[in-house]
């Protein structure tokens, strides 16, 4: 078979499998088979890029990053909806429509809490997708939309030109996954799926959007050349046949039916993959819509009913504290179960001590509770009149409920953190830090294997990695014996690392890579550092009083001491390997600028520090030398202005004696 033909066949087969998997949720192909065919297609496209089809599933992983989004004018504006806030107002709306025409029918749909987009198809091919923007002009986010698996790239039996409107959302499952990852990376969390979806759709790099697991429902035809319909329901059926994921909808007649459906949607919202913020009630007949017309802002024939936030009364049975992977203590109220927005609620977040103080929440209190942002229930207020006489103010514990180590306020003061060096709640993250590149630099000890080793009970402290046996690693590893041996060897080798790395690896607050180096150079060994007093530590250049305090506190704790002793027993190096015997750069500060050819910035910095000098990022009067590589810019200029000696890379090499 010719390449072209085979590629067409593969695209078709894979797109069909995609549709079954993502849109119909009814897979027909095993993951492995899919991957094999996709790989075959990829290699064919690599060999014949000119034959690559625009609707190829390989495009779903995200193409080139953009520098900005182009503007798109919407041929048919993306209108807003009028809101109704109570069932009474909803009744008035339905009544008004019935006065216009007794035989009116309504389509009732969930109102998806996401972002509106318009998707354009020419001869069945997806050519462009844009955000709503102000309704008339949006932004071209085609590349990001291509990464959404449920959006068809090619339609079956399409009209010559078609524009559909849909709502992009982040499924709750993707949202939780994303926030878990954000937390692991120490990045800020997204407040709710809507924000996360908006942030993802407006990524200039589609590869990032591709990883976010976005999805969409279409709910309207904006324009379809050469096809006519009588009703909105017909258009939705048509969209379904074309291969779109279509919004759930029902066609109803009476106010009772409409109200019942609106209530039912609120009840089944938990089962939907996405958040909703209401229900939309639309006149179904397109002719009637035409007659009713639009106001300046919205169509007269539709209304959005916003569910009132449901508030219930319940009682706080207990307050429990959870310790997150970063060591933050989060208090939670355990409440008597109540039904709220379609789920049974058994607990509510209390955020932190300030939140508890502000609302004066105590165990035994009767409270009013609400679901905020539809995710985590929150306590609004306490009914003081129902407070038991013996209820006491609540304070977060001074020791970690998981490991018993003291808790301490974090830098901003809002949260309490566990300080235990071996706290089980933080172990996985602490180990990830311990083995990371700037720390002990152990390659191959990834998150999944660490978690599995912890689960088996092989790792209870970061030090335990030095006691892992080949058998233990092998028993949990898929990658084969050789790789397991290599990992054990890498672990053993890391024992020889400089103590500067070890100091950083311990994960003491505010002790970063640079502090690790400074402390190692100053004290020469971990034992000397441990023996240092607060005053001695504060006297070290670049070490502030707060950091000194964190160091003293850390080394004083039994868990830290246990960790250090286990490391010592394992034979981990506690000495600085870079004893400064040659002080040729003592008291000298270097600024590196431009591209160096002989070494990286980090390597050059290490050399400078080896001879007792310092490297700094900015030029000032205190700078001794500026080392200017290729294409040096403003720093070189500034040095010249200040009359600071500028060294070429060769001159710098000479100074190093190389
Ligand atoms: P608003 O932004 O409050 O005026 O509400 C209108 C928005 O609701 C539209 O821009 C759509 O993005 C969104 N929406 C979500 N689901 C639907 C639906 N089923 N029908 C119409 N609009 C919807």
């Amino acid at each position: 078979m010719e390449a072209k033909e085979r590629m067409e066949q593969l695209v078709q087969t894979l797109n069909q499998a995609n549709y079954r998997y993502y849109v119909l949720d009814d897979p027909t192909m095993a993951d492995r088979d899919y991957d094999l065919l996709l790989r075959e297609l990829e290699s064919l496209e690599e060999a014949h890029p000119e034959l690559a089809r625009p609707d190829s599933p390989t495009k779903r992983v995200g193409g080139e990053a953009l520098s900005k989004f182009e503007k798109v004018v919407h041929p048919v504006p993306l209108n807003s909806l009028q809101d109704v806030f109570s069932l009474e107002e909803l009744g008035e709306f339905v009544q008004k429509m019935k006065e216009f025409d007794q035989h009116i029918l309504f389509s009732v749909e969930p109102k998806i809490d996401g972002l509106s987009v318009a998707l354009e198809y020419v001869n069945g091919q997806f050519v462009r997708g844009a955000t709503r923007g102000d309704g008339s002009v949006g932004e071209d986010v085609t590349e990001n939309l291509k990464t959404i698996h449920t959006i068809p790239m090619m339609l079956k039996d399409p009209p010559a030109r078609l524009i559909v409107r849909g709502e992009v959302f982040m499924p709750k499952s993707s949202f939780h996954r994303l926030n878990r990852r954000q937390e692991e990376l120490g990045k800020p969390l997204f407040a709710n799926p809507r924000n996360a979806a908006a942030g993802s759709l407006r990524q200039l790099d589609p590869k990032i959007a591709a990883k976010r697991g976005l999805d969409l429902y279409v709910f309207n035809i904006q324009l379809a050349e050469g096809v006519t319909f009588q009703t909105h329901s017909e258009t939705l059926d048509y969209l379904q046949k074309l291969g779109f994921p279509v919004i759930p909808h029902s066609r109803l007649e009476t106010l009772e039916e409409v109200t019942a459906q609106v209530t039912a949607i609120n009840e089944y919202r938990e089962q939907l993959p996405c958040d909703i913020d209401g229900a939309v009630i639309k006149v179904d007949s397109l002719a009637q819509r035409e007659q009713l017309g639009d106001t300046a802002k919205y169509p007269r024939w539709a209304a959005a009913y916003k569910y009132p936030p449901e508030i219930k009364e319940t009682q706080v049975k207990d307050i429990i504290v959870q310790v997150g992977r970063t060591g933050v203590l989060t208090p939670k109220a355990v409440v008597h179960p109540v039904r709220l927005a379609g789920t049974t609620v058994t607990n509510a977040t209390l955020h932190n001590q300030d939140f508890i103080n502000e609302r004066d929440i105590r165990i035994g209190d009767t409270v009013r509770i609400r679901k905020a942002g539809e995710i985590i229930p929150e306590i609004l207020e306490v009914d003081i009149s129902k407070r038991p006489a013996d209820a006491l103010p609540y304070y977060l514990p001074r020791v970690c409920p998981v490991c018993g180590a003291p808790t301490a306020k974090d830098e901003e003061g809002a949260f309490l953190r566990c300080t235990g060096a071996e706290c089980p709640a933080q172990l996985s993250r602490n180990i990830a830090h311990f083995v990371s590149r700037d720390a002990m630099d152990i390659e191959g000890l990834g998150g999944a294997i660490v978690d599995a080793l912890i689960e088996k009970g092989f790792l209870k402290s970061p030090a335990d990695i030095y006691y892992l046996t080949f058998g233990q690693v092998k028993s949990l590893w898929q990658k084969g014996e050789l790789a397991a041996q290599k990992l054990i060897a890498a672990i053993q080798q890391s024992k020889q690392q400089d103590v500067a790395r070890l100091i950083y690896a311990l994960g003491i607050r505010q002790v970063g890579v640079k502090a690790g180096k400074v402390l190692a150079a100053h004290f020469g060994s971990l034992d000397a550092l441990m023996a240092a007093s607060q005053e001695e530590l504060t006297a070290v250049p670049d070490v502030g009083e707060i950091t000194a305090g964190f160091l003293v506190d850390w080394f004083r704790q039994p868990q830290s001491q246990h960790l250090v002793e286990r490391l010592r027993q394992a034979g981990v190096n506690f000495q600085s390997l870079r004893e400064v015997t040659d002080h040729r750069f003592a008291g000298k500060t270097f600024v590196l600028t431009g591209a160096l050819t002989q070494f990286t910035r980090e390597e050059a910095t290490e050399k400078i520090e080896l001879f007792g000098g310092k490297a700094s990022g900015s030029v000032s009067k205190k700078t001794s030398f500026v080392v200017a590589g290729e294409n040096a810019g403003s720093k070189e200029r500034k040095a010249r202005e200040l009359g600071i000696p500028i060294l070429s890379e060769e001159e710098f090499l000479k100074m190093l004696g190389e």
Side-chain angles (χ1 to χ4, degrees):
M1 194 186 300
E2 286 215 6
K4 183 163 183 280
E5 220 175 310
R6 178 64 182 154
M7 285 161 83
E8 254 163 46
Q9 197 181 50
L10 284 168
V11 167
Q12 211 175 20
T13 312
L14 289 166
N15 281 346
Q16 177 61 21
N18 242 320
Y19 175 72
R20 297 290 305 219
Y21 184 93
Y22 288 103
V23 183
L24 302 186
D25 211 0
D26 178 22
T28 46
M29 193 185 282
D31 289 358
R32 204 185 131 67
D33 296 339
Y34 183 91
D35 292 342
L36 286 175
L37 293 181
L38 188 69
R39 205 177 310 156
E40 183 186 346
L41 180 61
E42 275 167 354
S43 46
L44 280 170
E45 286 180 356
E46 217 165 280
H48 312 278
E50 74 288 354
L51 296 179
R53 291 173 54 98
D55 58 337
S56 164
T58 59
K59 303 265 186 292
R60 302 260 192 206
V61 294
E64 292 290 298
L66 310 170
S67 57
K68 70 176 180 61
F69 295 116
E70 298 297 330
K71 295 268 177 270
V72 176
V73 177
H74 297 300
V76 180
L78 275 59
N79 280 330
S80 208
L81 291 169
Q82 58 176 311
D83 287 328
V84 295
F85 288 104
S86 63
L87 289 178
E88 201 186 337
E89 276 180 39
L90 175 66
E92 285 164 19
F93 168 76
V94 171
Q95 187 57 32
K96 217 189 293 170
M97 295 298 112
K98 291 271 171 200
E99 276 163 22
F100 169 76
D101 187 336
Q102 259 195 16
H103 305 292
I104 220 152
L105 290 178
F106 298 96
S107 174
V108 181
E109 305 159 9
K111 184 168 185 293
I112 310 298
D113 195 12
L115 295 110
S116 222
V117 293
L119 311 174
E120 183 171 352
Y121 292 80
V122 175
N123 295 325
Q125 189 186 318
F126 176 56
V127 291
R128 197 158 60 159
T131 61
R132 175 179 173 195
D134 63 2
S136 322
V137 182
E139 284 178 327
D140 189 330
V141 287
T142 311
E143 293 309 313
N144 288 341
L145 288 168
K146 276 186 189 165
T147 69
I148 299 179
H149 286 272
T150 47
I151 296 184
M153 291 294 115
M154 187 66 93
L155 305 174
K156 292 166 258 174
D157 302 323
R161 184 165 179 229
L162 174 77
I163 301 180
V164 299
R165 180 170 175 186
E167 193 85 352
V168 169
F169 59 87
M170 183 172 287
K172 291 177 230 175
S173 52
S174 307
F175 175 71
H176 294 306
R177 191 164 7 102
L178 173 63
N179 262 355
R180 228 177 296 134
R181 208 165 50 215
Q182 291 287 106
E183 196 188 349
E184 277 172 20
L185 298 173
K187 292 192 179 161
L189 302 190
F190 289 96
N192 54 48
R194 209 197 105 83
N195 287 357
S200 307
L201 196 59
R202 295 199 72 262
Q203 285 287 338
L204 287 165
D205 184 355
K207 290 205 173 55
I208 299 179
K211 291 199 191 114
R212 295 284 174 85
L214 295 173
D215 205 343
L216 146 145
Y217 276 129
V218 298
F219 59 80
N220 201 49
I221 289 189
Q222 302 292 98
L223 182 155
E225 272 174 24
V227 210
T228 48
F229 305 98
Q230 306 300 317
T231 64
H232 174 66
S233 310
E234 262 174 41
T235 64
L236 295 183
D237 293 345
Y238 177 70
L239 288 173
Q240 183 125 29
K241 283 211 196 80
L242 287 179
F244 288 99
V246 173
I247 188 105
H249 53 284
S250 17
R251 198 152 96 139
L252 304 165
E253 189 174 355
T254 65
L255 174 61
E256 288 67 42
E257 285 169 353
V258 169
T259 313
Q261 183 58 19
V262 165
T263 315
I265 290 176
N266 196 22
E267 281 296 317
Y268 78 61
R269 66 199 293 171
E270 289 303 317
Q271 274 121 55
L272 285 172
C274 53
D275 280 346
I276 63 172
D277 61 344
V280 189
I281 303 94
K282 304 169 177 172
V283 169
D284 197 41
S285 151
L286 300 182
Q288 286 170 339
R289 284 186 180 187
E290 189 80 23
Q291 288 164 357
L292 282 158
D294 297 350
T295 72
K297 278 196 284 186
Y298 44 70
R300 288 202 184 83
W301 43 263
Y305 173 71
K306 300 275 168 84
Y307 295 109
E310 221 183 323
I311 298 173
K312 286 264 175 80
E313 203 176 87
T314 182
Q315 208 184 12
V316 178
K317 289 200 292 189
D318 196 6
I319 295 179
I320 56 167
V321 177
Q322 288 173 329
V323 185
R325 288 166 57 88
T326 57
V328 171
L329 274 68
T330 311
K332 261 166 85 172
V334 181
V335 299
H336 275 297
V338 271
R339 287 289 291 177
L340 205 57
T343 43
T344 303
V345 169
T346 53
N347 52 53
T349 178
L350 296 174
H351 301 286
N352 53 42
Q353 187 71 51
D354 292 345
F355 183 89
I356 296 172
N357 294 352
E358 265 164 37
R359 289 171 172 74
D360 187 18
I361 299 163
R362 306 182 181 190
I363 297 172
D365 270 343
T366 298
V367 293
R368 277 150 58 77
I369 188 170
R370 172 184 82 175
K371 267 196 160 184
E374 322 297 345
I375 310 163
I376 312 157
E378 187 173 82
I379 290 177
L380 289 174
E381 58 185 359
V382 173
D383 185 344
I384 302 279
S385 70
K386 294 185 183 161
R387 172 169 287 169
D390 58 353
L392 294 173
Y394 179 83
Y395 297 103
L396 279 167
R398 283 163 191 239
V399 295
C400 171
V402 175
C403 74
T407 57
K409 280 202 168 193
D410 76 345
E411 283 80 22
E412 281 97 57
F415 294 98
L416 273 187
R417 226 175 253 280
C418 161
T419 58
E422 296 182 316
C423 176
Q426 302 166 66
L427 189 56
S428 151
R429 225 183 110 100
N430 285 349
I431 293 178
H433 171 76
F434 191 88
V435 305
S436 64
R437 242 187 59 200
D438 290 335
M440 299 307 272
D441 192 17
I442 303 173
E443 215 176 306
L445 205 50
I449 179 84
V450 167
D451 287 346
L453 290 165
I454 291 174
E455 192 147 308
K456 277 271 170 191
F458 298 152
L459 296 178
K460 294 200 166 67
S461 152
D464 288 344
I465 59 174
Y466 292 111
Y467 297 86
L468 283 174
T469 63
F470 171 76
Q472 288 170 336
V473 173
K474 185 70 200 61
S475 71
L476 293 169
W477 225 15
Q478 323 291 346
K479 293 191 194 165
E481 281 197 13
L482 202 66
Q485 264 159 4
K486 255 174 85 177
L487 176 59
I488 294 286
I491 292 172
Q492 292 306 317
Q493 218 163 26
S494 77
K495 289 181 185 171
Q496 309 309 324
Q497 294 282 24
D498 192 284
V499 76
R501 285 174 172 274
L502 179 60
I503 294 169
Y504 168 64
L506 295 175
I508 304 164
R509 282 165 73 198
Q510 297 224 346
V511 179
V513 176
K514 191 166 171 205
K517 284 186 192 169
V518 169
L519 292 166
H522 189 92
F523 292 101
S525 76
L526 191 67
D527 289 295
L529 172 64
M530 284 198 287
S533 67
Q534 169 107 16
E535 292 71 41
E536 285 168 315
L537 287 163
T538 314
V540 179
D542 292 332
V543 176
E545 208 163 310
I546 296 178
T547 310
F550 285 148
L551 280 158
V552 171
D553 284 348
W554 196 89
F555 284 117
R556 204 183 276 153
Q557 282 194 44
Q559 283 187 37
S560 313
Q561 287 168 5
H562 180 251
L563 167 61
V564 168
E565 284 320 305
R566 297 266 295 157
L567 290 168
R568 191 197 302 279
Q569 276 164 23
V572 174
N573 168 51
F574 279 15
Q575 301 297 318
S576 171
L577 303 178
R578 305 216 251 122
E579 233 175 277
V580 187
T581 44
D582 182 340
H583 296 275
R584 70 176 75 169
F585 291 162
K588 299 271 186 285
T589 303
F590 289 73
V591 173
L592 302 164
T593 177
L596 302 176
T597 56
Q598 304 290 317
F599 27 46
T600 64
R601 285 252 171 117
E602 287 74 38
E603 285 163 356
T605 304
E606 274 191 23
K607 300 257 182 204
I608 292 166
E609 289 170 352
L610 185 65
F611 293 129
K614 269 197 350 186
S616 157
S618 58
V619 179
S620 74
K621 272 186 281 185
K622 291 194 199 133
T623 309
S624 322
F625 299 101
V626 168
V627 182
E630 275 169 48
N631 299 323
S634 62
K635 286 181 193 165
E636 190 186 3
R637 227 175 303 130
K638 183 147 184 217
R640 211 170 293 133
E641 277 165 27
L642 294 173
I644 290 160
I646 298 168
L647 304 175
S648 68
E649 190 170 352
E650 290 77 60
E651 288 169 316
F652 177 56
L653 281 168
K654 256 190 225 138
M655 278 180 110
L656 293 172
E658 290 187 11

